Amino acid sequence: MADSIPSSPKPRRIQDRWVSNSLIARSPLSGAAQSSSRFGGVWALSIDLPPMNRYQAGQWKAALFGVDGFATALSIGPDHQHPVDWYNPNANAATAEDAPTLLFDFVASDYRLRYVTAPSVAVDGAASAGAGTIDVDGLDGVGLNKGDYISFSNGTFNELHVLTADAFPNSSGEATLSIHPPLRRAVANDAAVTIEEPKGEFVLANADGAGFETDERGVTRPLTIELVEFIR
């Protein structure tokens, strides 16, 4: 079970990276390359937090110091509050990129249907470890796009994935999602799929990876936090 992070203040910057297990070797004579792609790899996050008062810093210190290096995971994810293509009812202008619920741009061949309330999405049929696709239902006319992040529990920990292809549901709200990385473990039918603020499970990249500095005014500035996905 991963620990939650404080809801406030939110990170001012989150950098998400994929750390691949792939290898490449080049011939010193011809320069020809040979590559080897292995199953695996992990997500890595770099997080910058804004300056805080002592109370706010206390919340974050409790969360980061409390995981004790690699002993406990944190539930956190990339900066993906909403899917790539969504409707914002509070947009500043009707012409804003995320303002229209229905958009037909025949010149740009851009056609969108956006949701107002996030649908309840679930795995549609059990999926085996190593699978590069997963079937879901509950999209109810709402499509997802390549670059969208999703997460779901495999029964042991929460997996974080990015879509590698657009996915649009049929009339029953069913769709097949192409994901990276492949499934870490088997996933059960009806497992809930998170499409807004999806989170994986991460530990500190270094045992002393959480640090704070406080000045004479009582303003605390957290150091950059480096996290790596906790696979098990």
Side-chain angles (χ1 to χ4, degrees):
M1 184 71 177
D3 290 351
S4 299
I5 60 170
S7 58
S8 178
K10 290 184 176 294
R12 65 180 180 183
R13 184 186 71 93
I14 297 181
Q15 180 188 90
D16 49 303
R17 307 187 306 279
W18 173 251
V19 183
S20 176
N21 284 345
S22 298
L23 301 173
I24 190 168
R26 296 187 182 278
S27 168
L29 300 177
S30 66
Q34 289 186 330
S35 63
S36 176
S37 179
R38 303 273 183 168
F39 175 78
V42 292
W43 294 108
L45 299 176
S46 294
I47 299 173
D48 284 338
L49 293 166
M52 307 176 185
N53 59 38
R54 289 184 182 274
Y55 176 81
Q56 293 171 325
Q59 306 300 304
W60 273 97
K61 285 181 179 180
L64 294 174
F65 294 159
V67 299
D68 192 19
F70 316 122
T72 306
L74 284 172
S75 177
I76 195 169
D79 184 9
H80 197 75
Q81 298 180 38
H82 304 279
V84 170
D85 192 21
W86 74 292
Y87 166 62
N88 177 9
N90 299 311
N92 292 328
T95 56
E97 173 67 18
D98 54 1
T101 56
L102 186 63
L103 175 67
F104 294 97
D105 188 338
F106 297 101
V107 175
S109 298
D110 188 7
Y111 316 110
R112 310 182 192 184
L113 174 65
R114 293 172 163 139
Y115 66 78
V116 176
T117 302
S120 298
V121 185
V123 175
D124 185 18
S128 301
T133 61
I134 187 167
D135 293 329
V136 299
D137 57 19
L139 283 172
D140 296 329
V142 176
L144 297 175
N145 293 270
K146 62 177 65 174
D148 273 327
Y149 286 95
I150 61 171
S151 64
F152 44 80
S153 175
N154 58 27
T156 300
F157 61 93
N158 224 33
E159 297 196 18
L160 178 67
H161 298 270
V162 66
L163 268 62
T164 57
D166 296 338
F168 299 98
N170 60 22
S171 59
S172 299
E174 301 165 336
T176 298
L177 308 183
S178 298
I179 58 173
H180 175 81
L183 292 180
R184 311 290 194 172
R185 288 173 172 261
V187 177
N189 180 43
D190 286 335
V193 178
T194 301
I195 64 173
E196 290 190 340
E197 295 189 350
K199 294 178 173 62
E201 299 189 10
F202 291 78
V203 292
L204 295 173
N206 303 291
D208 61 348
F212 297 78
E213 58 183 19
T214 304
D215 64 21
E216 70 280 2
R217 298 168 300 168
V219 177
T220 298
R221 290 176 172 80
L223 306 180
T224 298
I225 304 161
E226 301 288 347
L227 299 166
V228 65
E229 194 177 14
F230 187 34
I231 304 300
R232 54 204 188 276

